[in-house]
Amino acid sequence: MSPASTTAAIRCLGQVVVVGLIAVAFLFQPMPMPRQWGPETVHVSPHLGFALNFDSPAFLELADDPSRMFADNPEWRGRQSRPLYVLLTWALARPFQHTPGLRAMYPHRAYPGSIVLNLAVLLLSLNIFVQIVAPSPHNAVFATMAGVLLFANDCAKVFVWTPHQQLFNILEPLVCVLLVVRTAERAMFSIARAATYGLGTGVLMLAYGSFALLVPAVCAGALLRWHRGREPSGARVVAMCAAAALACALAPIAWVGFVTHVTGGFHGSETAEYRQFVWMADVWHRGGASRLGLVLMNFTARYARALARGLLVPAFAAGGLILLRLAAWERTVIVARARAVTLVACAVSLVLNLVFFWLLGFYEPRLTVAVTPPLLVGVATLAAGVVEPEPAYRRRVILLVFAAAVVAAQLWVVMKAGPWW
């Protein structure tokens, strides 16, 4: 095995350990749990447990038999628009059904596979974060510690141990950042590759709707290529964006067509029940532009209040920027210029998620976690670049202080009574 492969394996093992420790820490929950967390409190021990979310029983039943999505049961039919998640839990149910420890936590045979999927989403999120923040292996430890803050929120705290899709709200913004960077910085980027990215986006949308933001992320990356002179033709950039958008539509259209053929119709609970995005047409029909403006103002106020409940990462980001400004501003400016594409990618992901969930019209506070990963990536990228050239002894001191702060933040999330929903 080459030294590079050995280093990569050690990094991956370290990330697995970090995710495992975080997941175990989230089992330390107050007992008994408030009912609004979920209908059922599952006790792992007298002091350990988790709340089974209201939606989790339906996900487990569908993992037993995915064809139930076509049945005339509102709980099952409401998942027709997200079949990929159901199929993934179904595929993982049998291989992991006898996993030691997990099967003892909850008796349903599909439960272990669902939790393996949750842990895989956390691990993939951390891995992508480290890839973006620390392209140099010298910064891998710092980036991994910063990545722990991805999970210092109520969304991770509540949903790691219950079958659900909410953890995609941590993964999706990171994939947005990665796609912008990869699209902008590749030496060659073909229209066929843009279409491939679009096709993959369409498939991921069948797991969670906000993955639709990956297409505008690819388009933003293509525009960055043109701005940096890597694409001399604006028409070619337009062709890339069109190819990504058209390819993205293929998988959802095929799935809707298949379900309509089998059942005679398609049920999308996001629009049918929660009126996501289509609420604007509803309000317009009831009162025109003035009514729409008033409702949008009310929605904006609710969204702002929801965002204000998750201030830990923004506070860390603000504190980090203040420290960089006071201690190493010249070096920070140099790093910002060198990593300009990554910082722009973070801004793109932040704006896309901010606007998407703002206009959604359905403001569960747990959804607002999607705006924090790109913010954390941006500040961590600057900090990692500033720390890298420091002498070894100073770098170790910085890492120790930073590790203490990160651990304190994570412990606060674990031990506080919450979530604040």
Side-chain angles (χ1 to χ4, degrees):
M1 183 181 290
S2 66
S5 299
T6 303
T7 302
I10 292 172
R11 288 174 62 175
C12 185
L13 180 60
Q15 292 166 13
V16 170
V17 171
V18 167
V19 168
L21 290 173
I22 291 171
V24 171
F26 282 140
L27 284 173
F28 288 86
Q29 304 279 5
M31 297 292 174
M33 296 182 188
R35 182 166 174 76
Q36 65 264 27
W37 290 23
E40 181 182 352
T41 297
V42 180
H43 294 268
V44 178
S45 77
H47 302 289
L48 302 179
F50 63 93
L52 193 74
N53 186 263
F54 288 92
D55 296 329
S56 295
F59 284 126
L60 291 172
E61 290 163 0
L62 290 171
D64 268 341
D65 183 4
S67 67
R68 288 172 173 167
M69 284 186 290
F70 307 140
D72 191 21
N73 179 316
E75 286 294 318
W76 296 341
R77 188 182 57 180
R79 274 71 190 178
Q80 279 183 8
S81 58
R82 301 176 182 182
L84 182 59
Y85 178 82
V86 173
L87 293 174
L88 286 172
T89 54
W90 169 77
L92 294 171
R94 184 178 293 275
F96 291 100
Q97 63 179 323
H98 298 301
T99 302
L102 289 178
R103 187 61 189 272
M105 291 175 65
Y106 193 74
H108 197 284
R109 78 175 190 90
Y111 177 79
S114 298
I115 302 309
V116 168
L117 180 57
N118 283 354
L119 296 176
V121 170
L122 295 188
L123 182 60
L124 182 58
S125 299
L126 181 58
N127 184 268
I128 291 174
F129 181 90
V130 174
Q131 283 186 53
I132 299 168
V133 171
S136 166
H138 297 294
N139 285 333
V141 175
F142 181 91
T144 302
M145 287 191 300
V148 171
L149 295 176
L150 288 170
F151 317 121
N153 54 70
D154 288 332
C155 181
K157 177 177 181 176
V158 173
F159 288 101
V160 167
W161 293 106
T162 187
H164 212 283
Q165 301 162 301
Q166 289 301 311
L167 296 178
F168 288 130
N169 285 321
I170 298 173
L171 175 63
E172 170 269 313
L174 297 169
V175 180
C176 272
V177 176
L178 186 66
L179 276 186
V180 174
V181 173
R182 292 284 173 85
T183 303
E185 292 191 336
R186 284 188 69 89
M188 298 293 295
F189 193 82
S190 64
I191 295 174
R193 182 175 290 275
T196 302
Y197 283 174
L199 184 62
T201 296
V203 172
L204 288 173
M205 286 174 62
L206 299 180
Y208 200 64
S210 66
F211 279 112
L213 297 177
L214 301 188
V215 165
V218 172
C219 294
L223 285 171
L224 268 177
R225 292 184 63 83
W226 176 70
H227 177 72
R228 301 173 74 214
R230 294 190 174 220
E231 294 294 340
S233 169
R236 181 176 162 82
V237 171
V238 172
M240 289 178 183
C241 297
L246 291 173
C248 173
L250 294 178
I253 289 175
W255 173 247
V256 171
F258 173 73
V259 175
T260 302
H261 174 74
V262 171
T263 66
F266 180 82
H267 181 77
S269 60
E270 293 83 359
T271 55
E273 297 169 20
Y274 300 109
R275 309 305 292 167
Q276 294 176 5
F277 293 110
V278 299
W279 65 268
M280 290 176 276
D282 296 341
V283 174
W284 183 277
H285 290 149
R286 289 200 297 266
S290 61
R291 175 69 176 170
L292 179 61
L294 178 61
V295 173
L296 184 59
M297 287 177 60
N298 291 334
F299 277 0
T300 301
R302 289 177 58 195
Y303 187 38
R305 287 195 297 271
L307 285 171
R309 294 174 183 174
L311 288 176
L312 182 59
V313 168
F316 256 80
L321 287 175
I322 291 171
L323 285 174
L324 291 173
R325 179 67 180 89
L326 295 175
W329 187 241
E330 291 184 4
R331 177 62 187 166
T332 301
V333 171
I334 294 172
V335 173
R337 288 171 179 166
R339 302 297 305 275
V341 171
T342 299
L343 297 179
V344 171
C346 292
V348 168
S349 179
L350 178 64
V351 170
L352 287 176
N353 280 278
L354 193 67
V355 173
F356 180 88
F357 288 103
W358 171 46
L359 296 180
L360 196 67
F362 177 68
Y363 297 140
E364 289 289 347
R366 64 178 182 262
L367 299 176
T368 60
V369 73
V371 304
T372 58
L375 185 63
L376 184 61
V377 171
V379 177
T381 297
L382 290 175
V386 170
V387 170
E388 183 176 7
E390 292 289 335
Y393 74 94
R394 290 190 63 182
R395 194 162 59 242
R396 284 194 291 268
V397 171
I398 292 171
L399 288 175
L400 285 173
V401 173
F402 184 56
V406 168
V407 169
Q410 192 69 30
L411 286 176
W412 180 78
V413 172
V414 169
M415 298 176 68
K416 73 179 180 66
W420 291 344
W421 299 338

